[in-house]
Amino acid sequence: MATTTDTALRIIDARDLADLTKSSMSTAYTLLKSIKKHYGKESHQLVLNTEAAAYLGIEVRAFEIILNGL
């Protein structure tokens, strides 16, 4: 799993995933559901940036840079 030594944890929602993947909200909700299933989370549980980044196969720092548009 990606390290969090230099990046703060934050909650990821479908809007973040839609922005990151340049996809529709419908596709982003499906991706969010897949991430939750992968980590054994229930529908009401939240997804963190570390989990989303690991699922997508990118480093947390790169994930945050992309989301923040830096």
Side-chain angles (χ1 to χ4, degrees), residues 10-14 16-17 32 46-49 52 63-64 67:
R10 75 175 183 132
I11 297 167
I12 297 301
D13 61 14
D16 293 323
L17 293 174
L32 187 62
L46 303 173
V47 172
L48 297 176
N49 55 350
F63 183 86
E64 288 297 322
L67 281 182

Side-chain angles (χ1 to χ4, degrees), residues 7-67:
T7 305
L9 294 176
R10 75 175 183 132
I11 297 167
I12 297 301
D13 61 14
R15 173 81 294 177
D16 293 323
L17 293 174
D19 291 343
L20 180 79
T21 60
K22 307 291 189 240
S23 63
S24 67
M25 285 297 291
S26 176
T27 301
Y29 278 114
T30 302
L31 178 57
L32 187 62
K33 188 175 178 180
S34 296
I35 294 169
K36 287 182 181 187
K37 183 177 180 180
H38 178 78
Y39 287 103
K41 293 185 172 227
E42 295 181 15
S43 62
H44 69 278
Q45 292 180 300
L46 303 173
V47 172
L48 297 176
N49 55 350
T50 55
E51 295 165 330
Y55 183 84
L56 295 170
I58 60 177
E59 299 225 1
V60 177
R61 184 175 167 98
F63 183 86
E64 288 297 322
I65 288 170
I66 295 167
L67 281 182

